[in-house]
Amino acid sequence: MSSPADGITRVGHDVDRLCHNMGYVIQGKPEVVRNAVICLLAEGHLLLEDVPGTGKTSLARALASSISLTWHRIQFTPDLLPSDVTGVSIYNQHTEEFEFKKGPVFANIVLGDEINRASPKTQSALLEVMEEGTLSTDSAVHQMARPFMVVATQNPIDMEGTYLLPEAQLDRFLMKLTVGYPSADAEAEILRTQKMGSTVAHLQPVLSAADVSAMIDVVKTVEIAPALEQYIVSISTATRSMSELRLGVSPRGSLALLRAARACAAAAGRPFVVPEDVKAMAPVVLAHRVILQPDAELQGRTGVELITRAMHSVPVPRAVATA
């Protein structure tokens, strides 16, 4: 019978395998790839925001293709309806009853491409499934598959025909990542490996859905000391009194940081959280949850910069007792 320590070691090993497999497609971005995997293990949803052509969709496809599970892609457009995402009830003449036809949201990984091109009404169709893992239709409640993850992409440059994601929906995403341009060497490697076509189509899965579900269960056993819980709360509290912010981090954000820190520790093969896990996760988990004052935006301030400043203002726990 395997011990809890064996489970944690296994998670660390499988995370490395998954990241290595995705690295065949996403070259030169190991931190972004690893954060995407950590987001999956924390049972969170991922928002990828960057300019076109940097590999946002390829990252999402590489993650889905590296695991033997179901995944669907939804191309968000201004005329997309909520029922195009969730599904629709259709009248069956034979049974004389309405039957629910499931939409593309019923999958383990749902890729929402250019999510900010859909209307707020269609975007709101994802709110319940992202927060509760269920979908209410008519008188029935449908449970989402496990694992379940929404990976959405958006382009911050081309604003014509787009709708800003409301704060309520941004808060549903555990992480917001920016892929960024690759280094010159990484870009040359991309040209060499993909000159005959995209490599993501040839990616083979290295884990099953059951493997990922088991990894998620192990993450929930990772210990976090009370001092580190207070450290997370102190960071969130610090943002609420910053003059540059109109809205600081909510308790939901604190809980999201705790979940991400535990997944980060498990990915490193550790059964307990250390301050470095919190520091690594705070910018990608909290920055999109704050709202800047207009004058702070005009001065070029960013959420990541202010979250980093909030962390620096809070003392790091010196000694962390782990169970």
Side-chain angles (χ1 to χ4, degrees), residues 17-323:
R17 289 175 61 204
L18 196 54
C19 292
H20 183 263
N21 200 57
M22 294 171 63
Y24 288 121
V25 177
I26 309 298
Q27 283 103 347
K29 296 293 179 180
E31 185 178 351
V32 175
V33 170
R34 193 172 188 84
N35 283 342
V37 174
I38 289 172
C39 188
L40 174 65
L41 296 185
E43 291 190 289
H45 306 291
L46 178 62
L47 178 62
L48 300 171
E49 182 181 77
D50 215 326
V51 296
T54 51
K56 301 184 299 296
T57 304
S58 295
L59 173 61
R61 289 188 61 193
L63 177 61
S65 299
S66 295
I67 308 169
S68 182
L69 42 65
T70 60
W71 71 279
H72 293 152
R73 175 177 176 174
I74 307 172
Q75 184 65 52
F76 281 76
T77 56
D79 60 348
L80 192 73
L81 299 175
S83 58
D84 295 330
V85 176
T86 60
V88 64
S89 294
I90 300 176
Y91 183 73
N92 189 324
Q93 293 182 339
H94 296 289
T95 62
E96 297 183 347
E97 293 179 346
F98 281 94
E99 294 180 354
F100 181 68
K101 299 296 183 182
K102 294 181 177 180
V105 76
F106 286 89
N108 293 111
I109 294 182
V110 179
L111 168 56
D113 212 3
E114 295 188 290
I115 190 173
N116 56 331
R117 290 201 175 277
S119 67
K121 182 178 181 180
T122 301
Q123 292 177 16
S124 66
L126 289 171
L127 290 179
E128 180 188 355
V129 294
M130 291 176 68
E131 181 66 18
E132 309 293 339
T134 59
L135 178 65
S136 301
T137 58
D138 300 327
S139 59
V141 177
H142 303 272
Q143 190 72 35
M144 293 295 109
R146 190 171 186 264
F148 175 69
M149 182 184 192
V150 174
V151 182
T153 69
Q154 68 173 4
N155 173 9
I157 303 300
D158 183 10
M159 302 306 294
E160 184 176 350
T162 64
Y163 302 84
L164 290 175
L165 291 182
E167 283 74 19
Q169 180 144 3
L170 274 175
D171 211 32
R172 298 300 200 275
F173 288 100
L174 181 74
M175 289 186 190
K176 180 180 177 182
L177 300 179
T178 300
V179 180
Y181 290 116
S183 65
D185 290 341
E187 191 165 355
E189 181 67 11
I190 292 171
L191 298 184
R192 187 186 67 80
T193 57
Q194 302 196 29
K195 61 186 176 184
M196 301 302 292
S198 175
T199 55
V200 70
H202 306 289
L203 215 56
Q204 296 298 315
V206 295
L207 297 174
S208 67
D211 292 332
V212 176
S213 294
M215 292 165 71
I216 290 171
D217 290 336
V218 172
V219 167
K220 293 178 179 178
T221 68
V222 172
E223 298 287 346
I224 179 166
L228 280 178
E229 293 177 343
Q230 185 58 51
Y231 180 50
I232 291 173
V233 172
S234 297
I235 293 173
S236 298
T237 303
T239 66
R240 298 167 194 166
S241 59
M242 298 181 77
S243 60
E244 295 94 339
L245 292 178
R246 183 158 54 93
L247 184 68
V249 176
S250 68
R252 179 188 285 167
S254 300
L255 186 58
L257 180 54
L258 183 146
R259 288 164 49 201
R262 294 173 81 184
C264 183
R270 247 186 297 103
F272 56 88
V273 177
V274 297
E276 285 68 28
D277 297 322
V278 178
K279 291 179 181 179
M281 292 293 101
V284 295
V285 172
L286 301 182
H288 66 284
R289 301 174 189 273
V290 298
I291 301 178
L292 277 67
Q293 295 282 10
D295 56 342
E297 289 187 282
L298 289 174
Q299 293 171 12
R301 300 285 186 266
T302 64
V304 172
E305 175 189 341
L306 295 176
I307 292 298
T308 303
R309 189 194 302 174
M311 282 194 297
H312 289 162
S313 70
V314 176
V316 179
R318 292 289 183 181
V320 178
T322 57

